[in-house]
Amino acid sequence: MIRERERLGEGELDGELSLTDVILRPVHNRNTFESTVERLANALRLGVFRTGERLPPERELAARLRVSRATLREAIGALREAGMIEVHRGRGGGAVVTYSGPPPPRGTQALRRRGAELRDALDFRAVVEPGAAYLAARRDLSADQRAALVAALERVSNAPDDASHRTADSRLHLTIATLSGSRMLVDAVTEVQILLHEMLTSIPVLQRNIAHSHAQHSRIVNAILAGDAPGARRAMEEHCAATSALLRGLLG
């Protein structure tokens, strides 16, 4: 169990809520196959399962998603065809993650055509993520939860390359949302981070912006750890505003 928690990342942050639980939540609609593909693909994009790791056993994934193993196998097959995983047969086999980030962008025209949708996502984020930070700071966090938050911050600060930084950044924001204790907030932040990931990978990586982002992340985390809910909200508002300004400028 300990090894499994370490492999999945932050592990149980709230007794009920963990990053794995958030992304791989049960499928409750009639589009079972499509929703299963979406859940698994989001888990890869947001770094719940990293490149080179094996997915959990089919039985475990099917139980977590509450789908049949036949549906799960079809979804895994779709991810294999999309080049996101490889499936190895035989003893010691399984599904291994090969996804290492989106392909280099061919330009920003497609994103610009979705301007209204993306502007709405940034406006939504400006409300949702500061609220998540505020609630996280108000909670009486356990030692494990505080350690998980610090570890998530360190992963962003020490990311060895741009792709790792983007994944670690998403995981930090999802960790903060998880610590809010609200499943609805976590779902909202997940959706926002997926769109944000798409936008940020379509612009150049600017080291000055990365340094500024690191400083903002530190202020957010320190405020949460200090129980300063208004300060955590203000720091997250500033961070979201900076990202939005950069994206509006570079994506038009």
Side-chain angles (χ1 to χ4, degrees):
M1 178 62 73
I2 293 175
R3 289 182 181 176
E4 180 69 8
R5 286 185 177 185
E6 290 176 348
R7 187 179 67 76
L8 294 180
E10 276 64 26
E12 295 295 337
L13 297 179
D14 188 71
E16 293 183 0
L17 289 176
S18 72
L19 293 183
T20 311
D21 290 335
V22 167
I23 306 300
L24 297 180
R25 61 192 186 278
V27 174
H28 289 308
N29 58 54
R30 295 184 180 182
N31 299 320
T32 308
F33 166 71
E34 292 82 1
S35 294
T36 302
V37 172
E38 179 185 27
R39 300 278 202 278
L40 293 173
N42 286 345
L44 303 186
R45 290 193 182 95
L46 295 177
V48 174
F49 305 111
R50 298 182 176 92
T51 306
E53 288 186 344
R54 293 185 187 280
L55 295 183
E58 285 184 359
R59 179 177 299 176
E60 178 184 332
L61 281 176
R64 185 180 287 278
L65 293 167
R66 296 183 190 172
V67 299
S68 69
R69 292 181 69 175
T71 296
L72 179 68
R73 289 191 192 104
E74 290 178 349
I76 288 175
L79 295 180
R80 180 181 56 77
E81 291 183 22
M84 300 181 78
I85 62 172
E86 291 179 350
V87 177
H88 302 287
R89 302 298 180 187
R91 186 174 182 180
V96 178
V97 178
T98 56
Y99 177 80
S100 58
R106 298 179 180 177
T108 60
Q109 293 303 314
L111 284 175
R112 286 172 178 157
R113 285 194 292 271
R114 295 166 54 200
E117 174 194 1
L118 301 180
R119 283 194 301 272
D120 184 51
L122 293 176
D123 289 343
F124 184 59
R125 184 192 187 212
V127 176
V128 169
E129 295 218 36
Y134 178 88
L135 287 180
R138 289 187 62 185
R139 298 189 64 210
D140 183 17
L141 300 179
S142 69
D144 285 346
Q145 290 171 327
R146 296 168 73 87
L149 181 58
V150 171
L153 175 63
E154 290 176 348
R155 274 193 285 273
V156 180
S157 303
N158 300 323
D161 51 54
D162 295 339
S164 299
H165 178 271
R166 179 84 283 277
T167 298
D169 191 309
S170 291
R171 289 174 66 83
L172 172 61
H173 284 267
L174 286 169
T175 298
I176 292 170
T178 300
L179 292 177
S180 75
S182 167
R183 287 186 179 276
M184 293 182 70
L185 265 178
V186 173
D187 285 348
V189 172
T190 299
E191 295 300 321
V192 166
Q193 282 295 317
I194 290 168
L195 279 173
L196 190 67
H197 180 83
E198 186 177 355
M199 287 186 273
L200 287 173
T201 53
S202 297
I203 66 173
V205 176
L206 307 174
Q207 292 306 314
R208 181 170 180 178
N209 171 252
I210 296 299
H212 189 202
S213 178
H214 284 335
Q216 291 173 334
H217 284 154
S218 294
R219 286 197 293 273
I220 294 165
V221 169
N222 288 337
I224 291 173
L225 294 175
D228 179 6
R233 178 165 54 194
R234 285 194 301 271
M236 184 64 85
E237 286 173 343
E238 178 185 331
H239 179 55
C240 291
T243 304
S244 293
L246 184 69
L247 289 168
R248 286 195 301 269
L250 295 180
L251 294 178

